[in-house]
Amino acid sequence: MRTWQVERRKRTRHLIELGGLVVKAGIVDLTNGDRATIYGALLSLAAKLQSHEDDHARDLWAAKGKQAFDAERHEEQMGRRSPWRLAQPAKCCGTTPCFSNKR
C-alpha cells in the first residue's frame, strides 16, 4: 500500500473517531442531528479555547472526559451499558468513583 493511502486511512479513522465522540456525548440526539446547531456549538467551543480562559476550560473538559471514559470502562466491565452512550450514565455499583449523574 502506498504511503498516501496509509495516511489517508489514518486520517479517515481519526475523523470517524471524532464523529463518534459527538454521538457518545449525546449531541446528535440533543440537536436532532441538526448540522448547523452542532457546527455552531463547535464554533463556540473553539472560541472559548481561543479566549483567555482556554487553559481553565481545557483542563476542566479534559478532566470531565477522562472521568466519563473511566466510568464507561467501569460500566462495561460490570456489563451494564452499551459502549455508545455517555450522555445517560447508568447507576454506579458503588465500588469505584464513577461519572455519576452530575454534569
Side-chain angles (χ1 to χ4, degrees), residues 31-45:
T31 62
N32 294 319
D34 183 67
R35 292 175 182 212
T37 303
I38 295 169
Y39 188 40
L42 292 172
L43 290 172
S44 293
L45 176 89

Side-chain angles (χ1 to χ4, degrees), residues 9-68:
R9 285 187 180 188
K10 283 183 191 177
R11 182 177 182 276
T12 299
R13 178 178 176 89
H14 182 69
L15 293 173
I16 290 169
E17 289 171 351
L18 293 174
L21 292 175
V22 173
V23 173
K24 271 185 145 179
I27 294 170
V28 173
D29 289 341
L30 293 169
T31 62
N32 294 319
D34 183 67
R35 292 175 182 212
T37 303
I38 295 169
Y39 188 40
L42 292 172
L43 290 172
S44 293
L45 176 89
K48 180 94 169 178
L49 290 171
Q50 293 172 353
S51 74
H52 65 282
E53 300 174 9
D54 67 328
D55 288 335
H56 175 69
R58 191 181 314 269
D59 292 344
L60 176 69
W61 295 335
K64 283 187 172 207
K66 183 182 180 320
Q67 185 181 21

